Structures are given as C-alpha cells and as structure tokens.
Amino acid sequence: MTNLEKYNKIFIDAFGADPDKLEELRYRKTEKWDSMAHMDLVSDLEEKFNIRFSTFDILNFTTYKKGLEIMTGYGVDFSK
Amino acid sequence: MREEENPYFFERNPAFEDRTAFLTEDGFLTTYHDLYRLEEQILGALPPRSLIFVLCRNHPDAVAGYLGSLRFRHVPLLLSGSLSADKLENLEQLYLPNALLLPESCREKYRTAEELPSFAEKIASCPVLWTDGCYTLLALRDAPPAMNPSLNLLLSTSGSTGSPKLVRLSAKNLQANARSIAEYLEITDSERPITSLPMEYTYGLSVINSHMLRGAAVLLTDRTFTDLEFWNFLKEQHATSFAGVPYSYQILYKLGPEHLDLSSVRTMTQAGGKLPQDLQAFFGSYALKHRIRFIIMYGQTEATARMSWLPPEECLRRPGSIGTAIPGGSFSLEDENGNKVTGPQPCGELIYRGPNVSLGTAGSAQDLMLGDTRQGVLHTGDLARRDRDGYYYIIGRRKRFLKAAGKRLSLDSVEAILSRRWPSAVFICSGTDDHIGIYPVTGETRGTVPREEEILRFLEDSLRIHHTVFYVRYIAEIPRNATGKILYTDLPD
C-alpha cells in the first residue's frame, strides 16, 4: 500500500467517506468529523505513520488536503 | 442573607445594565441592558406560562431566550441544536410545547426533512412570532399544556440522544445552585468564562447561571478544545476560566497545555464523570505550577448541576476524590436497606440533600403538573466511600453492581479483567442480575478480536461463574453522548 492509499483508507474508514470525494472532507462540516472523531483521526495517523503531531498541527488539521501538507512536513512522502 | 439582597440571576438587575453580558467570536458585544431588551423582544408575543422548546447553540439569542423564559415565568426545555427531526418530533408530541425557538439553519433542516413530511409541513407553516435572521421563534400551538406553578425549567439528562425523560427544575433550584457555585468558586464580576460546553448540558448551563448572578461577562462560542479558533478566542478575549468533562481534559493533555497560551486563565473546572487519576495528578501539578485553580466537581442534572467540589489545594492529596458537598448541601451514605452507613471509612449509596435537588422527572406532558416529588433528597445511584477527613470518592454506579450466580459483581471489574487478558482489545459490559452482556468493540480493537468461546471460557475460569450467565455481542463502536459518556442503554440486548 502506498502512503497515499494508507492515508486515504484512514479517512474512508473513519468517516465512511466516498473515495472519490475525499477532498471535500472538512472538520465540523463533514457530519462524522466532530471533536471526538478528530482526536481519533489524529491518534490513528500518528500510529500508522509513526509520527507525533505538534499542538498547532493537531488544531490546524481541518481538511483532508491540509492534512496532506501537514503530514508532508513530518517527512511522510506521498509519492511513495 | 435577605432575599432582596439576592435577586434571581435571571431577573433584571439595574446594577448590571452597563456591564458586558456576552462576547462572541465575531467581536459582537451584548451588555446586560441589551440582554434584557433582547429577552423582551424574543418573548414579548407569548401567552403566560408558555412551554418553549429551545434548540441551543452557545449564541446570545439562545441564552436570551432561556434567561428571558425564566424571567417571564415561562418554562423552557433546552435541547441540542443538532437534534434530529425525528427526535424533536417525538419530544414535541409527548410534551406539547406551544413555542419553539430555533436557529434558522435548524428551521431550514426540519422544513425540508423528507423522511418526516408531516413534521416538515408543520414547521414550514407555523407562524413566526419573532426572528432576527439567526434565531426564530415559532408558534406551534395556541396554548401551552397545564404545568405546576413551581416548574421553571426542563432539561434532558442525555444530551443529544433525545431521550423523552426530562428533569423538572424550579427557579429556586437554579438560584440555589448558582449561588453555591458562585460562592465556592469565588466568582466576581471580573470573571470571563469561555463556554467550552453546550448550554443545554447542565454543567455548561451552570457556568452561565453562576456568572450571570454576579454580573460577569460570558464568552460565547460553540467551538471547543479541538478548534484553533477556540484557543484564539480564549487568548484574545482574556478568558479567565473554562469547564471540561473528562474527555475535554484528555484532549487538553494530548494537545499539551504548555503549548497553548493560557496566561489569562485562573480557574479550570472538571465534572461530568470521573477523571482518570493520572490526569488529576497531571492537571493538579500543572495548575499549581501556573497558579491556576483546578477544581474537580461532581453533580447530576437531578441536582440542577453541582453537588460537590474538591478544593484546589486538596487536588494532589486526594486522588479520585469528588471533594465535599457544596455550600448549602450535605452528603450521607446509605446501605441497601436505606440505613445510614457510619464508621471510620464508610461505603454506600451517595445521598445528597440540598435546595438544588430537582422537583423530579417527567416522561410526558401530564407529568408537568407534578409538584416536588423529591423534597430535597436525591438518591444519586452512585456508590461512594468517605475518607477520615470527610472527603468522598465515587466507586461506581450502583447499577454497575449486580449479582451473578449469587455473587456480587461489578461490571467495571469485568471490563478490567477482560482488558488485562486482551490488552489490545476494548470491551464494555452491561446487563442485569445473571444476564451479563460482554461487548467487544471491533472498531476500537487493534489486532484480532477474541472469539466468543474464548471470552466465555475465560470468564468462567477467572470468575468461577457459569458461562451461561454471560452473552457476547460484537459492536463496531461505543455508543456515547455528546460529552463522551457511555450510553449503556443504547447497547443491543
């Protein structure tokens, strides 16, 4: 599985999201992406990618796309 | 103290008129004078003793609708602004309110609820009594149901689940609890709490009530600890306190309070369930270091909100304690036969007495005629112990203790032994005497979930109770309410 596939799968599993509409996912706009789900998502990503988000990045991780940028900042290569 | 020195917190107080009542994220400021006028505008067209459903956001209109309802002796029922159409319809049919105050966005949602065409039609055709574009007051019926004169507020105990069971509260209950809280938290008019919990939740509401009593300014927001905007608002408007349930403090721990600017914060309170002891130690130490008061409290909607508090200087010394009864209230412990338990370290059901004990509960409109069925005494349903110095500790829900094959067994201890046996799996337990449900949570388990036969064999071996007492049901996730509390009643049979 590529890093992107791994990343996508976490969103699909967490929010029951349509794989073609991942870019539409937004914290508090997507029904299932509430405060509780957000912390689960963050923990899940940390575990699967073996990283640890800063306070600011946890709070700034508000869309699927923003997450990609943030993760890249932790050295996750989404071209692999 | 004389009554006239302590007007009800929801009454018009001339001394507060020029003070700030609310601040919102967009910089909107409401003075107490504006608040009183807003209350008059929203509710001016209603018949006396109206029953008003209020769909809550932490928004000035919703708080004004609530406070104004109390001031004009109507009866509001506070509900979550995210309540689904079917749950609202169910409550509406049961309690027959004559008015509904709701955000415009909710009205739009209900008006187009395809699955409930008759309800959608009703919402669409109701006369609008008042609107400001954010909130709207609708007339649902010509007249309210008959209600007992002592009834002033209805609250749901389960947040957003829309359970039909409501707690009946009087103005005296609300005032007594607001006064106790303001006293032990030493609230002054210079406080600026930020709403970190929904106002329809009794704990969130108690923050508003106790600060209105003293003429303080409340920072209103629907955002919470997981939002960057929440922390920015807190910082920019110099919030002096926030409130959190155990889950809030878990989030705060994960975020790392050292990385947030909390320099204006003087008080952090915790209630809504037992805080894990490692978090009590962590936040107790953090607070000490930063000269913040960290105050653990205990309460129930049935007691308006608060029943106990642990003074901040005791926090690190008494892990797991809920403290002592709030000013004006008292605790005692009773055994299964209703006798008072005494002795050096007694244990029993926690009984609370105080002026904030609710009138009782309601299950339908007829019950709104009931008077004070509790008479100031609340059986909390929690088992507790008391230490030598008089501090109380909750052991668990009384219902979480039952008999299995003649043995006394705690469902929490069954969860604990299962977690020790399968550390990567998550289990919750629920049930009745001799009929104990084991619910492995597949969605929260890392690795393989143990098979039914394995679980049953393990329980039979370790507890020496025949396996037929237990049943296993796999669930995808733990049913929780908006504040993270497990809803055992929502588990499959």
Side-chain angles (χ1 to χ4, degrees), chain B residues 132-203:
Chain B
D132 64 358
C134 289
Y135 259 83
T136 299
L137 182 70
L138 298 176
L140 295 177
R141 291 181 177 75
D142 291 335
M147 295 185 281
N148 190 289
S150 60
L151 179 68
N152 290 95
L153 172 68
L154 293 164
L155 290 176
S156 159
T157 52
S158 64
S160 57
T161 61
S163 158
K165 188 180 153 193
L166 303 177
V167 175
R168 297 179 290 116
L169 295 158
S170 68
K172 283 189 175 137
N173 292 151
L174 291 162
Q175 177 73 1
N177 211 215
R179 279 182 60 182
S180 303
I181 295 167
E183 183 182 328
Y184 73 77
L185 288 181
E186 299 168 27
I187 296 171
T188 66
D189 62 5
S190 68
E191 287 293 327
R192 291 164 78 89
I194 183 166
T195 57
S196 39
L197 297 165
M199 66 170 276
E200 74 274 13
Y201 173 44
T202 176
Y203 180 17

Side-chain angles (χ1 to χ4, degrees), chain B residues 366-394:
Chain B
Q366 288 78 46
D367 294 343
L368 304 183
M369 276 304 287
L370 294 173
D372 186 353
T373 50
R374 285 210 171 98
Q375 297 293 320
V377 183
L378 180 66
H379 288 70
T380 64
D382 285 320
L383 288 180
R385 69 179 175 86
R386 183 171 64 226
D387 71 16
R388 286 165 197 283
D389 303 322
Y391 290 84
Y392 286 82
Y393 301 76
I394 302 291

Side-chain angles (χ1 to χ4, degrees), chain B residues 7-59:
Chain B
Y8 283 107
F9 65 89
F10 47 79
E11 295 290 2
R12 183 173 185 154
N13 188 332
F16 295 166
E17 296 261 344
D18 298 331
R19 301 194 55 82
T20 302
F22 310 129
L23 278 159
T24 56
E25 263 174 90
D26 50 16
F28 191 75
L29 187 150
T30 309
T31 63
Y32 277 82
H33 174 82
D34 299 336
L35 168 64
Y36 303 140
R37 281 202 51 189
L38 184 57
E39 292 170 2
E40 288 150 20
Q41 286 161 359
I42 297 174
L43 301 157
L46 285 176
R49 292 292 285 165
S50 284
L51 176 61
I52 311 165
F53 279 17
V54 181
L55 296 187
C56 296
R57 301 255 162 89
N58 291 337
H59 184 282

Side-chain angles (χ1 to χ4, degrees), chain A residues 27-28 34-40 42-43 46-47 52-56 58-60 62, chain B residues 222-228 231 247 250-251 254-256 259-260 446 480-484:
Chain A
Y27 170 57
R28 279 180 175 271
D34 58 10
S35 169
M36 238 178 259
H38 186 68
M39 296 313 284
D40 289 344
V42 163
S43 302
E46 287 188 332
E47 192 189 322
R52 196 162 165 77
F53 292 115
S54 72
T55 302
F56 180 77
I58 295 174
L59 298 173
N60 209 26
T62 50
Chain B
D222 278 324
R223 297 187 186 276
T224 180
F225 290 10
T226 40
D227 297 274
L228 193 56
W231 300 109
Y247 185 69
Q250 276 167 19
I251 293 174
K254 167 87 182 151
L255 292 173
H259 303 295
L260 297 162
R446 286 174 286 224
R480 290 180 191 274
N481 72 6
T483 59

